[in-house]
Amino acid sequence: NYAFTSTKLSVIDMPLATTVGSAAFNCCINMLSANLPELTAINSNLFEYCDKLSSVYAPKAKYVDSNGFRYCSELTELTLPSATSFGNYAFEKCAKLSSIDCSEITAVGINCFNGCSSLTSLDLRKVSYIDYGTFQNCAKLSSVQFSNVLTSIYYNAFNQQY
């Protein structure tokens, strides 16, 4: 945990790493990209506040825990095809994130995409509920695919405050 927090790392290339502790790269404000092909999970706060992070490759990650990419305002390219859940605030304020493969996602946490102002569409056909504030302030979101497994949409899920 916190292994590289607030360091000046700009590129992460860990081709054999399967586990990286919580907040390991938190506040690495110079980080541009991360290549983690064997990583099995994006643990809590892993990339939180990595302002310049634009690209992450983690095809084996099964989930993104709380705050995993929170405040990664430059994030545009994200490869997580194996992920089945996104935790609370996982992508909050990822303003440049326009799309993400969510086809295997079954759970989406509170405020997960809050402030993802460039997000345009999502495939959430395996999700059974949309939690509080999930899509708040996603002004460009024009298409979300659901299926008959969806049973609940909580308050302010799609609220646009600005």
Side-chain angles (χ1 to χ4, degrees), residues 26-38:
N26 184 291
C27 296
C28 289
I29 61 172
N30 294 315
M31 186 176 299
L32 302 172
S33 66
N35 178 41
L36 301 157
E38 298 298 319

mmCIF file with all atom_site columns, all heavy atoms in Angstrom, residues 26-38:
data_model
loop_
_atom_site.group_PDB
_atom_site.id
_atom_site.type_symbol
_atom_site.label_atom_id
_atom_site.label_alt_id
_atom_site.label_comp_id
_atom_site.label_asym_id
_atom_site.label_entity_id
_atom_site.label_seq_id
_atom_site.pdbx_PDB_ins_code
_atom_site.Cartn_x
_atom_site.Cartn_y
_atom_site.Cartn_z
_atom_site.occupancy
_atom_site.B_iso_or_equiv
_atom_site.pdbx_formal_charge
_atom_site.auth_seq_id
_atom_site.auth_comp_id
_atom_site.auth_asym_id
_atom_site.auth_atom_id
_atom_site.pdbx_PDB_model_num
ATOM 1  N N   . ASN A 1 26 ? -1.260 6.684   -5.958  1.00 0.00 ? 26 ASN A N   1
ATOM 2  C CA  . ASN A 1 26 ? -2.077 7.841   -5.588  1.00 0.00 ? 26 ASN A CA  1
ATOM 3  C C   . ASN A 1 26 ? -1.232 9.115   -5.652  1.00 0.00 ? 26 ASN A C   1
ATOM 4  O O   . ASN A 1 26 ? -0.102 9.141   -5.175  1.00 0.00 ? 26 ASN A O   1
ATOM 5  C CB  . ASN A 1 26 ? -2.621 7.611   -4.171  1.00 0.00 ? 26 ASN A CB  1
ATOM 6  C CG  . ASN A 1 26 ? -3.550 8.689   -3.710  1.00 0.00 ? 26 ASN A CG  1
ATOM 7  O OD1 . ASN A 1 26 ? -3.130 9.807   -3.477  1.00 0.00 ? 26 ASN A OD1 1
ATOM 8  N ND2 . ASN A 1 26 ? -4.808 8.357   -3.557  1.00 0.00 ? 26 ASN A ND2 1
ATOM 9  N N   . CYS A 1 27 ? -1.779 10.145  -6.254  1.00 0.00 ? 27 CYS A N   1
ATOM 10 C CA  . CYS A 1 27 ? -1.148 11.466  -6.327  1.00 0.00 ? 27 CYS A CA  1
ATOM 11 C C   . CYS A 1 27 ? 0.160  11.488  -7.114  1.00 0.00 ? 27 CYS A C   1
ATOM 12 O O   . CYS A 1 27 ? 1.005  12.351  -6.885  1.00 0.00 ? 27 CYS A O   1
ATOM 13 C CB  . CYS A 1 27 ? -0.916 12.048  -4.933  1.00 0.00 ? 27 CYS A CB  1
ATOM 14 S SG  . CYS A 1 27 ? -2.426 12.366  -4.025  1.00 0.00 ? 27 CYS A SG  1
ATOM 15 N N   . CYS A 1 28 ? 0.329  10.579  -8.047  1.00 0.00 ? 28 CYS A N   1
ATOM 16 C CA  . CYS A 1 28 ? 1.481  10.635  -8.954  1.00 0.00 ? 28 CYS A CA  1
ATOM 17 C C   . CYS A 1 28 ? 1.085  11.567  -10.094 1.00 0.00 ? 28 CYS A C   1
ATOM 18 O O   . CYS A 1 28 ? 0.635  11.126  -11.153 1.00 0.00 ? 28 CYS A O   1
ATOM 19 C CB  . CYS A 1 28 ? 1.842  9.240   -9.473  1.00 0.00 ? 28 CYS A CB  1
ATOM 20 S SG  . CYS A 1 28 ? 2.567  8.176   -8.225  1.00 0.00 ? 28 CYS A SG  1
ATOM 21 N N   . ILE A 1 29 ? 1.235  12.841  -9.853  1.00 0.00 ? 29 ILE A N   1
ATOM 22 C CA  . ILE A 1 29 ? 0.683  13.850  -10.754 1.00 0.00 ? 29 ILE A CA  1
ATOM 23 C C   . ILE A 1 29 ? 1.380  13.924  -12.108 1.00 0.00 ? 29 ILE A C   1
ATOM 24 O O   . ILE A 1 29 ? 0.883  14.576  -13.013 1.00 0.00 ? 29 ILE A O   1
ATOM 25 C CB  . ILE A 1 29 ? 0.648  15.241  -10.088 1.00 0.00 ? 29 ILE A CB  1
ATOM 26 C CG1 . ILE A 1 29 ? 2.047  15.687  -9.710  1.00 0.00 ? 29 ILE A CG1 1
ATOM 27 C CG2 . ILE A 1 29 ? -0.288 15.240  -8.891  1.00 0.00 ? 29 ILE A CG2 1
ATOM 28 C CD1 . ILE A 1 29 ? 2.135  17.120  -9.231  1.00 0.00 ? 29 ILE A CD1 1
ATOM 29 N N   . ASN A 1 30 ? 2.518  13.270  -12.275 1.00 0.00 ? 30 ASN A N   1
ATOM 30 C CA  . ASN A 1 30 ? 3.215  13.253  -13.563 1.00 0.00 ? 30 ASN A CA  1
ATOM 31 C C   . ASN A 1 30 ? 2.958  11.981  -14.360 1.00 0.00 ? 30 ASN A C   1
ATOM 32 O O   . ASN A 1 30 ? 3.450  11.845  -15.480 1.00 0.00 ? 30 ASN A O   1
ATOM 33 C CB  . ASN A 1 30 ? 4.718  13.427  -13.356 1.00 0.00 ? 30 ASN A CB  1
ATOM 34 C CG  . ASN A 1 30 ? 5.055  14.785  -12.802 1.00 0.00 ? 30 ASN A CG  1
ATOM 35 O OD1 . ASN A 1 30 ? 4.538  15.794  -13.268 1.00 0.00 ? 30 ASN A OD1 1
ATOM 36 N ND2 . ASN A 1 30 ? 5.889  14.821  -11.784 1.00 0.00 ? 30 ASN A ND2 1
ATOM 37 N N   . MET A 1 31 ? 2.201  11.041  -13.807 1.00 0.00 ? 31 MET A N   1
ATOM 38 C CA  . MET A 1 31 ? 1.974  9.769   -14.476 1.00 0.00 ? 31 MET A CA  1
ATOM 39 C C   . MET A 1 31 ? 1.133  9.961   -15.732 1.00 0.00 ? 31 MET A C   1
ATOM 40 O O   . MET A 1 31 ? 0.087  10.599  -15.700 1.00 0.00 ? 31 MET A O   1
ATOM 41 C CB  . MET A 1 31 ? 1.289  8.773   -13.561 1.00 0.00 ? 31 MET A CB  1
ATOM 42 C CG  . MET A 1 31 ? 1.185  7.395   -14.199 1.00 0.00 ? 31 MET A CG  1
ATOM 43 S SD  . MET A 1 31 ? 0.482  6.156   -13.144 1.00 0.00 ? 31 MET A SD  1
ATOM 44 C CE  . MET A 1 31 ? 1.645  6.137   -11.810 1.00 0.00 ? 31 MET A CE  1
ATOM 45 N N   . LEU A 1 32 ? 1.612  9.368   -16.845 1.00 0.00 ? 32 LEU A N   1
ATOM 46 C CA  . LEU A 1 32 ? 0.934  9.477   -18.128 1.00 0.00 ? 32 LEU A CA  1
ATOM 47 C C   . LEU A 1 32 ? 0.248  8.183   -18.545 1.00 0.00 ? 32 LEU A C   1
ATOM 48 O O   . LEU A 1 32 ? -0.824 8.218   -19.148 1.00 0.00 ? 32 LEU A O   1
ATOM 49 C CB  . LEU A 1 32 ? 1.930  9.890   -19.215 1.00 0.00 ? 32 LEU A CB  1
ATOM 50 C CG  . LEU A 1 32 ? 2.672  11.198  -18.986 1.00 0.00 ? 32 LEU A CG  1
ATOM 51 C CD1 . LEU A 1 32 ? 3.755  11.385  -20.045 1.00 0.00 ? 32 LEU A CD1 1
ATOM 52 C CD2 . LEU A 1 32 ? 1.704  12.360  -18.974 1.00 0.00 ? 32 LEU A CD2 1
ATOM 53 N N   . SER A 1 33 ? 0.880  7.037   -18.251 1.00 0.00 ? 33 SER A N   1
ATOM 54 C CA  . SER A 1 33 ? 0.301  5.768   -18.684 1.00 0.00 ? 33 SER A CA  1
ATOM 55 C C   . SER A 1 33 ? 0.713  4.634   -17.750 1.00 0.00 ? 33 SER A C   1
ATOM 56 O O   . SER A 1 33 ? 1.715  4.718   -17.046 1.00 0.00 ? 33 SER A O   1
ATOM 57 C CB  . SER A 1 33 ? 0.725  5.442   -20.118 1.00 0.00 ? 33 SER A CB  1
ATOM 58 O OG  . SER A 1 33 ? 2.115  5.217   -20.177 1.00 0.00 ? 33 SER A OG  1
ATOM 59 N N   . ALA A 1 34 ? -0.087 3.559   -17.796 1.00 0.00 ? 34 ALA A N   1
ATOM 60 C CA  . ALA A 1 34 ? 0.198  2.377   -16.985 1.00 0.00 ? 34 ALA A CA  1
ATOM 61 C C   . ALA A 1 34 ? -0.107 1.129   -17.804 1.00 0.00 ? 34 ALA A C   1
ATOM 62 O O   . ALA A 1 34 ? -1.198 0.995   -18.355 1.00 0.00 ? 34 ALA A O   1
ATOM 63 C CB  . ALA A 1 34 ? -0.636 2.387   -15.708 1.00 0.00 ? 34 ALA A CB  1
ATOM 64 N N   . ASN A 1 35 ? 0.869  0.238   -17.879 1.00 0.00 ? 35 ASN A N   1
ATOM 65 C CA  . ASN A 1 35 ? 0.723  -1.041  -18.557 1.00 0.00 ? 35 ASN A CA  1
ATOM 66 C C   . ASN A 1 35 ? 0.813  -2.130  -17.496 1.00 0.00 ? 35 ASN A C   1
ATOM 67 O O   . ASN A 1 35 ? 1.886  -2.367  -16.931 1.00 0.00 ? 35 ASN A O   1
ATOM 68 C CB  . ASN A 1 35 ? 1.818  -1.215  -19.608 1.00 0.00 ? 35 ASN A CB  1
ATOM 69 C CG  . ASN A 1 35 ? 1.720  -2.552  -20.308 1.00 0.00 ? 35 ASN A CG  1
ATOM 70 O OD1 . ASN A 1 35 ? 0.625  -3.012  -20.625 1.00 0.00 ? 35 ASN A OD1 1
ATOM 71 N ND2 . ASN A 1 35 ? 2.850  -3.187  -20.549 1.00 0.00 ? 35 ASN A ND2 1
ATOM 72 N N   . LEU A 1 36 ? -0.320 -2.764  -17.208 1.00 0.00 ? 36 LEU A N   1
ATOM 73 C CA  . LEU A 1 36 ? -0.412 -3.762  -16.146 1.00 0.00 ? 36 LEU A CA  1
ATOM 74 C C   . LEU A 1 36 ? -1.174 -4.984  -16.669 1.00 0.00 ? 36 LEU A C   1
ATOM 75 O O   . LEU A 1 36 ? -2.270 -5.294  -16.204 1.00 0.00 ? 36 LEU A O   1
ATOM 76 C CB  . LEU A 1 36 ? -1.118 -3.152  -14.927 1.00 0.00 ? 36 LEU A CB  1
ATOM 77 C CG  . LEU A 1 36 ? -0.430 -1.923  -14.333 1.00 0.00 ? 36 LEU A CG  1
ATOM 78 C CD1 . LEU A 1 36 ? -1.411 -1.067  -13.560 1.00 0.00 ? 36 LEU A CD1 1
ATOM 79 C CD2 . LEU A 1 36 ? 0.726  -2.341  -13.471 1.00 0.00 ? 36 LEU A CD2 1
ATOM 80 N N   . PRO A 1 37 ? -0.621 -5.700  -17.633 1.00 0.00 ? 37 PRO A N   1
ATOM 81 C CA  . PRO A 1 37 ? -1.361 -6.760  -18.318 1.00 0.00 ? 37 PRO A CA  1
ATOM 82 C C   . PRO A 1 37 ? -1.767 -7.949  -17.454 1.00 0.00 ? 37 PRO A C   1
ATOM 83 O O   . PRO A 1 37 ? -2.714 -8.664  -17.808 1.00 0.00 ? 37 PRO A O   1
ATOM 84 C CB  . PRO A 1 37 ? -0.406 -7.200  -19.436 1.00 0.00 ? 37 PRO A CB  1
ATOM 85 C CG  . PRO A 1 37 ? 0.931  -6.766  -18.998 1.00 0.00 ? 37 PRO A CG  1
ATOM 86 C CD  . PRO A 1 37 ? 0.734  -5.535  -18.170 1.00 0.00 ? 37 PRO A CD  1
ATOM 87 N N   . GLU A 1 38 ? -1.114 -8.180  -16.326 1.00 0.00 ? 38 GLU A N   1
ATOM 88 C CA  . GLU A 1 38 ? -1.453 -9.320  -15.464 1.00 0.00 ? 38 GLU A CA  1
ATOM 89 C C   . GLU A 1 38 ? -2.175 -8.912  -14.177 1.00 0.00 ? 38 GLU A C   1
ATOM 90 O O   . GLU A 1 38 ? -2.551 -9.766  -13.377 1.00 0.00 ? 38 GLU A O   1
ATOM 91 C CB  . GLU A 1 38 ? -0.187 -10.114 -15.113 1.00 0.00 ? 38 GLU A CB  1
ATOM 92 C CG  . GLU A 1 38 ? 0.510  -10.724 -16.323 1.00 0.00 ? 38 GLU A CG  1
ATOM 93 C CD  . GLU A 1 38 ? -0.356 -11.734 -17.064 1.00 0.00 ? 38 GLU A CD  1
ATOM 94 O OE1 . GLU A 1 38 ? -1.056 -12.531 -16.404 1.00 0.00 ? 38 GLU A OE1 1
ATOM 95 O OE2 . GLU A 1 38 ? -0.333 -11.728 -18.313 1.00 0.00 ? 38 GLU A OE2 1
#
